[in-house]
């Protein structure tokens, strides 16, 4: 399904230039910041209608709101028109509450009225199986014919805070807290809960867009739009699947360049979860590990809960890009330090020791002798007796030369009484955040809701945002630090990584290839392959063995024969010419018996190799993300432990190196237990090259598996390989993007 | 340090009978439910004093509160006395706010006044290094001399809700919510944060006791006390270490028998965390994996955060023991189902499919065709149109024969407006929980604070407790189900597991043992050990080889020689008498060169064994929990992956079997990759027997290591073993418990 059908798209790049109009505005601007909205199907009996209208009004929508209702009687105390055709003013958006059967005529009316955007709330489409899918596809086709764009169907509308545009079809918490978090959600219902939760965490949003079934506008185009919005500093995603992966990744790249982190919660991590969301959305959730890999490769922060999504976005919105990796904590409780210590370790935070000067200054400001001057710092219960101890300690630590940021325990008073009690600390904290050489991040110990009082108080005091809790805040901090490191690297690296030599053309992709053909392809492109001689008689086998040097291995060469060993097609450790001749006959007979009719090309004679570490290097095609590289150690490691690393292709050598170090079995490559260490540079080069070959094979390849790739010291060599081509009826690479 | 010094202790069992007085009341009753309290060091200038007095008054303390102050002037608007001696009324508890130097005279006064319990708030003891430790020990000694019991020092007091006794030296949230959770905390400061958090979660407590440095009363005795309290249904622990492990475990056993789950949060999971809390409490945190094992073996629920502690306790207090393992979820949102699916899988929840009758009934009550009738159930956004759909679906699912409990999405209205809006659902929910054949557990989607309105509203409506959120509630539910299963098993199993044959006495424990001696000990006690012949000459080696049958292995026998292979003390695969004689000379010479002066007992000749799976079975002594069994597969599995399972001894065969299945490498024992499956029953028997031998060795053994224990099919055999004895200066088994 392609959305790039509009001939006015000025560029082939989907999603980026292709989604911008001639006047430079994003195609979604007139949808999400419309000048003029018509609610179609407005009715006093409809909850959707009451909420949508009330929210538009209460949100201060600055343009005209029109109500459309076939019966023509006043609704919500306002006059109505009976058709979009009768409005007589420019309307950018038809917000359609009526059911599926009415949509064609609504769209026809919209076309006449020049309305190019529709939000369709009704369910009954892709989520309803085959028939619903068809109905949805027809809807999109119709819209494309009218040059219209549809958000939904099966969603709950959207909220655009900077533009005071809030056509949202459910209850929402007021006042709507404005802030830097732009949210794209594939679930509408989630939005209901999420808005309340965001408010209780004091996290303000720029946008909340529910995309429903994504008949036309998907999350990918939404990200693309949000990257451009000045008021959006962080992009939050609730995902069940990704429909336009190319647009998605291009938008993610633009987000990174713009310094706007993307934080994603994707349901369906477990197998059960995937089944459940599939039932819900009618979309097939991709394999979760590939999502992990792709997100990581593209700097997208993945979180494991809605709560973590909100905490991470709140932290990033408030504190932005962080200047380094070294964190100091100052608290007034040993129990907090215990929690911090455990969580910092679990999340890989770097907690450096304090400089000597800091330790001295801490004593000078009154840190008692029974307190240990370490990071995380427990200033002890003595803070109750010396009320300056905690703020003074925070100030001292903020100047420590070993740290890049300081985390302090803070909370915002929930009542006036608490505010009076805490005001001294609060004022000191605000002052510190102004003069500190490093960011000072406030984190609550345990979570508490932000009350209307606390939200107002924090703003009036100009106080920094308080992150939810240690339990949620520390993982969020670790993720923010990770993203900040990538962002720095992106800014500092302007060149693309050097490409390897070009890949030689592939003759005759498709059909069934023998191992020999795969070996030749690899060898021709810089991947060491064990030497092989193809022989077609017992006497040729004997002389090939002599040329190779005994002992040798003999292996059947037969395109399409998958289980060579099981079919009796392999004999190892053949020590003489006589034995080689005998092995040849044995193999050919065995394979003919085991797999009658298999076309036999001959037998491959190759040298026996020293023991080493055997790796599996596999490339498979993921339903969402395309060619994906899997690397693991062979045998039990992959089979019993599923010890493997995954990346979407293409990969850089740096990413391959990272994959190797991720393996639990990595120590086996570095010479644990007395083995010879493997040449990791060469191994990395070879695997990256295999990845590049797979990419060059492109749309034709379904699977490429090297098993084993034997690594023994500096010798890295393919011992066996197979390729599977896509069936003739390939579905092609989907192009996507919004019509301009 | 033993607390069982009181001659009136009627039994040797520490902590249980030993902590009960002649009249049957627990020794801690007069401490924690005292009739008459005197605050010593009462002062208007002291925050501690102001809070303690105010909290006692506001909490409605039903007995007399006396204020003691050397100066004798009125404090908190009340008359004071200058000494405990002057009160002239019975006082059960002196609540002492004065500093360390004053304590001896306060205790002397208390002794004269007949006050047998003291809470000591002051810091400056065990948390202050060597000197502080000594001071704390002296304090305890002094108390024992006076027959007094001290809670603390370095704590913040306690709260006893059923007895309206709340001597708590910090601010606390009012009204104090009474409930079934009894809390013992090794941190005082945590209590401050915890009380607010408990209130915001609507979790009520029976007790909060902060034990400070545990000079006399430790968490263990606290559990023992709480088990007896009628108002306590769940016991919550904040731990940094365990000081009286025997009392602790005995109390845990009594808690299980009484059907009161113990839920523990222990800081210091990571290495860094352990360092941090050690600095804080001056106590050495035990090895975390052993804590995990011990907690699990004794049915103690371990949680990983304060938030999880509160959620799990809240759930258990409200819903108690759960009747099975099969859970159904009914929601109105696909996003919730996604979260549930992922979390249920991650936490090992069992979500059975609905019975056919349930699916039919769901359609009958209006579940739309586009909704999938599966567990977890998403009734879809259609619930907005048909407001009976959700409650009807819940009722239908509650009657499903495949489930043991139903989880529904619920929240308590936070305001009157919300209450009016939600009342229909709320009433139906309350009705359902009364008629449902299975427990109906309410869980919020995302967490929100319980407001004064919501707490009051829930009680007035008689509505069930609402568990915090899906993210916290599902792991808590999984833990509650785990505990409930243990509880059922405990109730159903009345006999102790059959003990194996008695262990033969150990001659000459201590000193350095050769491998041969260890082998004989094991063999004499039912553990198969590879046959070994001890020879002391080359010719004996040759004939021993002939008797054994070639090939054989020769190995040095030298007590105390640790690295036999490295010292040239091992020759494998010896194929003839001549070779055996030669190997003998070679070994003796090599060891004499490599480790001069090592007393050589001779050389062991044993048969070569077929390959198999090699296991490491080790017993080590943990600082807190004593002898601990570690089982893992040898080689890379233990060395590279640290793939091992841990339990405190003694263990049942069932626990050993569980340990094996925990191993990542377990598939290697069951015949993965074509290997012969190991006889797991025999392997389990042998490992359990090794554990029993270690237990029989008792206080003398420091370490017993079998490496390898070779398992090949049904042959399980010790190939090598060593024992290390404790040094002569053993510190003995600490006895503990409260004086009666």
């Amino acid at each position: 399904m392609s959305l790039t059908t509009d001939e006015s798209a000025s560029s082939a790049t989907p999603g980026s230039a292709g989604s911008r109009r001639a006047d430079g505005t994003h195609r979604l601007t007139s949808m999400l910041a419309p000048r003029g909205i018509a609610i179609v199907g407005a009715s006093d009996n409809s909850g959707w209608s009451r909420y949508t209208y009330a929210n538009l009004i209460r949100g201060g929508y600055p343009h005209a709101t029109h109500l459309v209702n076939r019966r023509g009687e006043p609704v919500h105390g306002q006059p109505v028109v009976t058709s979009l055709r009768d409005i007589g003013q420019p309307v950018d958006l038809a917000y359609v509450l009526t059911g599926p059967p009415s949509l064609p005529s609504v769209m026809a009316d919209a076309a006449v009225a020049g309305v190019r955007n529709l939000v369709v709330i009704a369910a009954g489409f892709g989520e309803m199986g085959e028939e619903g899918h068809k109905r949805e596809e027809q809807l999109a086709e119709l819209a494309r014919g009218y040059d219209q764009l549809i958000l939904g169907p099966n969603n709950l509308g959207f909220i655009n805070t900077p533009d005071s545009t809030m056509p949202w079809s459910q209850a929402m918490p007021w006042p709507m807290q404005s802030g830097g978090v732009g949210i794209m959600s594939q679930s509408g219902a989630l939005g209901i809960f999420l808005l309340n939760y965001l408010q209780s965490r004091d996290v303000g949003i720029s946008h909340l867009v529910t995309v429903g079934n994504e008949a036309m506008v998907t999350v990918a185009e939404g990200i693309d739009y949000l990257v451009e919005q000045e008021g959006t500093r962080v992009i939050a995603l609730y995902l069940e699947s990704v429909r336009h992966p190319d647009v998605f990744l291009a938008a993610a790249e633009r987000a990174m360049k713009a310094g706007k982190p993307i934080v994603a919660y994707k349901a369906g991590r477990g197998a059960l979860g995937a089944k459940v969301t599939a039932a819900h959305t009618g979309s097939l959730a991709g394999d979760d590990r590939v999502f992990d890999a792709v997100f990581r490769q593209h700097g997208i922060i993945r979180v494991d809960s809605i709560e973590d999504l909100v905490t991470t976005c709140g932290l990033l919105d408030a504190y932005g890009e962080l200047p380094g990796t070294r964190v100091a904590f100052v608290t007034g409780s040993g129990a907090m330090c215990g929690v911090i210590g455990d969580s910092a370790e679990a999340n890989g935070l770097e907690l450096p020791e304090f400089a000597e000067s800091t330790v001295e200054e801490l004593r000078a400001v009154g840190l008692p002798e029974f307190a240990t001057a370490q990071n995380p710092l427990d200033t002890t219960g003595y803070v109750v007796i010396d009320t300056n101890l905690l703020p003074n300690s925070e100030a001292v630590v903020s100047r420590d030369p070993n740290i890049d940021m300081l985390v302090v325990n803070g909370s915002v008073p929930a009542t006036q009484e608490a505010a009076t009690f805490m005001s001294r600390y609060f004022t000191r904290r605000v002052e510190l955040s102004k003069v500190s050489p490093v960011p000072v991040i406030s984190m609550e110990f345990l979570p508490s809701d932000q009350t209307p009082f606390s939200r107002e108080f924090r703003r009036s005091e100009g106080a920094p945002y308080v992150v939810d809790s240690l339990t949620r805040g520390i993982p969020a901090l670790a993720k923010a630090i990770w993203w900040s490191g990538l962002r720095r690297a992106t800014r500092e690296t302007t060149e693309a990584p050097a490409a390897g030599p070009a890949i030689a053309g592939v003759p005759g992709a498709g059909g069934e290839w023998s191992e020999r053909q795969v070996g030749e392809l690899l060898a021709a492109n810089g991947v060491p392959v064990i030497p092989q001689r193809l022989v077609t008689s017992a006497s040729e086998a004997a002389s090939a063995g002599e040329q190779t040097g005994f002992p040798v291995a003999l292996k059947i060469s037969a395109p399409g024969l998958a289980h060579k060993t099981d079919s009796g097609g392999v004999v190892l450790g053949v020590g003489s010419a006589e034995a080689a001749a005998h092995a040849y006959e044995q193999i050919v007979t065995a394979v003919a018996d085991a797999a009658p009719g298999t076309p036999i090309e001959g037998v491959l004679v190759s040298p026996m190799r020293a023991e080493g570490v055997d790796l599996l290097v596999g490339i498979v095609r993921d339903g969402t993300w395309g060619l994906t590289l899997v690397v693991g150690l062979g045998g039990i490691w992959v089979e019993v432990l599923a010890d493997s690393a995954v990346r979407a292709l293409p990969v850089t050598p740096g990413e391959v190196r990272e994959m190797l170090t991720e393996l639990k079995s990595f120590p086996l490559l570095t010479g644990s237990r007395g083995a010879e260490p493997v040449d990791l540079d060469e191994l990395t080069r070879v695997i990256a090259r295999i990845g590049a070959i797979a990419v060059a094979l492109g749309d034709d390849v379904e699977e490429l598996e090297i098993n084993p790739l034997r690594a023994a010291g500096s010798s890295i060599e393919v011992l066996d390989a197979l390729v599977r081509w896509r069936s003739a009826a390939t579905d092609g690479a989907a192009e996507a993007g919004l019509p301009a």
Side-chain angles (χ1 to χ4, degrees), chain A:
Chain A
M1 184 181 65
S2 166
L3 293 184
T4 324
T5 55
D6 192 313
E7 60 295 321
S8 68
S10 59
S11 155
T13 311
S16 51
S19 57
R20 246 148 297 284
R21 314 196 62 176
D23 67 0
T25 59
H26 195 282
R27 173 63 184 89
L28 284 178
T29 305
S30 61
M31 164 86 79
L32 299 175
R35 283 158 302 186
I37 296 178
I39 301 177
V40 180
S43 158
D44 285 327
N45 295 325
S46 157
W48 283 344
S49 181
R50 289 194 306 270
Y51 279 122
T52 310
Y53 184 74
N55 290 334
L56 274 172
I57 300 301
R58 187 155 182 187
Y61 181 56
H63 306 286
T65 302
H66 308 276
L67 302 177
V68 181
N69 179 314
R70 294 254 173 249
R71 277 170 299 151
E73 279 156 23
V75 169
H76 311 321
Q78 304 294 321
V80 306
V81 293
T82 56
S83 161
L84 285 168
R85 302 175 194 236
D86 302 338
I87 291 175
Q89 289 179 37
V91 164
D92 274 348
L93 173 65
Y95 195 93
V96 186
L97 304 175
T98 55
S102 69
L103 291 175
S105 77
V106 171
M107 290 162 76
D109 291 350
V112 172
V115 180
R116 289 191 60 213
N117 301 289
L118 295 94
V119 172
V120 177
I121 301 298
F125 293 91
E127 79 284 6
M128 282 193 66
E130 197 51 44
E131 207 183 320
H133 261 297
K134 218 174 284 171
R135 206 178 301 146
E136 188 169 312
E137 186 47 39
Q138 286 162 354
L139 187 72
E141 272 307 319
L142 194 59
R144 281 190 283 267
Y146 287 130
D147 194 16
Q148 291 166 343
L149 200 57
I150 288 177
L151 181 68
N154 189 19
N155 69 339
L156 284 177
F158 65 88
I159 292 169
N160 171 346
T161 305
D163 293 305
S164 304
T165 303
M166 310 194 189
W168 177 248
S169 299
Q170 269 287 349
M172 54 186 278
W174 296 99
M176 191 61 223
Q177 198 78 58
S178 155
V181 181
I183 306 166
M184 301 297 304
S185 173
Q186 284 180 341
S187 164
L190 173 66
I192 304 170
F193 301 93
L194 189 57
L195 285 169
N196 286 303
Y197 187 64
L198 285 159
Q199 191 187 62
S200 78
R201 303 295 100 194
D202 198 9
V203 174
I205 66 169
S206 69
H207 300 75
L208 166 64
V209 181
T210 61
V211 292
N213 290 4
E214 301 188 320
M216 299 183 82
V217 177
T218 77
V219 162
E221 290 82 23
I223 300 171
D224 194 60
Y225 171 77
L226 291 176
V227 171
E228 291 202 349
Q229 305 310 305
E230 214 183 317
T232 304
R233 288 180 294 268
V234 181
I235 297 167
L237 309 180
Y238 170 80
L239 290 179
E240 289 166 0
S241 62
V242 169
R243 274 199 179 71
H244 296 158
D246 292 342
V247 180
F248 186 93
L249 294 183
E253 196 178 318
R254 295 179 59 237
M256 179 60 85
K257 279 199 190 125
K260 301 190 179 188
I262 300 176
V263 188
Y265 171 65
K266 180 183 168 292
R269 194 177 261 289
L272 179 61
K275 187 190 80 174
V276 171
T277 54
H280 167 51
T281 61
S283 68
L284 252 176
D287 178 75
D288 197 71
R289 289 192 71 203
V290 186
F291 265 95
D292 259 352
V294 169
F295 282 11
R296 179 175 174 163
Q297 288 172 273
H298 292 272
I300 297 168
I301 296 172
R302 185 166 185 183
V303 292
D304 272 329
S305 68
I306 304 290
E307 292 91 328
D308 287 337
L309 180 70
V310 170
T311 307
T312 309
C313 288
L315 189 151
L316 280 161
D317 186 25
Y319 297 101
E321 185 186 327
L322 297 167
T325 58
R326 300 167 305 168
V327 189
F329 286 84
V330 176
T331 82
S333 142
M336 264 190 259
C337 286
V339 172
I340 291 165
D342 283 358
S343 181
E345 177 159 314
N347 290 283
L349 278 197
E350 187 185 350
L351 269 58
E353 289 189 14
F354 293 143
E356 254 179 63
S357 56
T358 302
V359 174
E360 280 162 24
E361 280 188 74
L362 283 171
R363 297 296 177 202
V365 299
L367 185 73
E369 277 309 313
F370 58 84
T372 315
Q374 69 181 8
N375 183 17
L377 179 65
D378 168 16
T379 52
T380 80
Y382 201 72
V383 296
V384 178
I385 291 158
D386 174 0
T387 53
N388 284 314
L389 175 59
L390 189 57
N392 284 344
S393 299
E394 292 170 0
V396 167
V397 172
S398 76
R399 295 188 298 266
D400 187 292
N402 293 346
I403 68 160
D404 297 314
M405 67 202 80
L406 167 64
V407 181
V408 298
N409 174 245
S411 61
V412 187
T415 61
Q416 183 57 56
E417 189 192 351
T420 309
F421 179 75
M422 288 166 61
S423 68
R424 183 181 35 214
Y425 295 99
F426 212 79
T427 311
R428 288 287 302 267
R429 183 70 52 78
V430 175
E431 279 164 22
L432 176 61
S433 62
K434 284 175 189 153
V435 301
S436 165
V438 297
V440 181
I441 299 169
S442 286
M443 226 177 251
E444 269 199 296
F445 183 9
L446 296 168
S448 67
D449 284 3
Q450 300 300 310
T451 63
F453 178 87
S454 61
R455 291 194 296 268
E456 178 53 34
F457 181 81
R458 184 170 78 76
R459 277 165 189 74
S460 67
E461 298 282 316
Y465 176 70
V466 175
V467 181
D468 183 81
S469 60
L470 294 177
T471 308
R472 298 223 174 277
I474 291 174
L477 184 62
K479 287 169 197 286
I481 289 171
W482 172 76
W483 178 85
S484 300
L486 291 181
R487 166 85 181 124
R488 270 194 304 281
T490 307
R491 218 175 17 236
E492 286 155 16
T493 316
T494 48
E495 316 154 63
I503 305 294
V506 182
E512 287 185 338
W513 275 32
S514 71
E515 179 187 345
R516 184 186 54 78
Q517 286 172 286
V518 188
E520 283 169 6
L521 169 70
L522 295 169
N525 286 293
V527 174
V529 178
I530 192 164
Q532 304 185 120
R533 287 182 165 82
L534 180 69
V535 299
T536 54
S537 72
S539 62
E540 274 181 39
S543 62
E546 268 162 358
Q547 286 158 15
T548 302
F550 293 105
V552 294
L554 273 70
K555 214 184 314 182
I556 191 77
S557 180
L561 180 67
H563 300 286
K564 288 191 283 272
T565 304
D566 295 350
S567 315
V570 180
V571 178
L572 301 176
V574 175
S576 67
E578 196 187 349
H582 180 254
Y584 179 90
E585 301 292 359
Q586 183 190 329
I587 284 174
V588 170
T589 312
V591 171
D593 278 3
T598 302
I600 295 177
E601 219 180 35
V603 168
L604 294 167
V605 179
S606 53
M608 290 296 291
R609 287 303 193 211
E611 293 288 301
V613 181
D614 282 349
L615 291 101
L616 167 86
V617 178
I619 287 115
V620 289
R621 182 173 293 279
D622 176 77
T624 301
W625 303 108
L627 291 179
T628 304
L629 174 65
V630 182
V631 174
L633 262 59
I636 47 166
W637 295 98
V638 168
E639 291 174 28
V640 177
L641 289 186
D643 178 27
S644 60
V646 175
R647 294 290 186 283
L649 290 175
V651 289
T652 63
E655 283 171 317
V656 171
R657 187 64 168 254
E658 202 181 53
M659 291 175 83
L660 294 172
T661 57
E662 271 171 36
L663 296 173
K664 294 189 207 91
S665 47
F666 178 67
L668 298 186
L669 295 172
T670 57
S672 80
R673 296 176 59 75
E676 187 186 3
V678 167
D679 180 343
L680 290 176
D681 289 338
E682 174 64 2
L683 179 60
T684 297
R685 187 195 68 77
V686 168
I687 295 173
R689 196 68 191 152
I690 294 168
I693 293 168
V695 171
L697 298 177
D699 287 347
D700 295 325
V701 74
E702 183 67 32
E703 186 179 357
L704 172 63
E705 186 178 283
I706 318 295
N707 187 15
L709 177 69
R710 177 156 298 173
S714 63
S715 159
I716 314 289
E717 209 174 38
V718 173
L719 299 196
D720 205 342
L722 67 82
V723 69
R724 280 203 311 120
W725 303 102
R726 294 182 94 175
S727 59
T730 61
D731 37 1
E735 270 183 88
L738 298 183

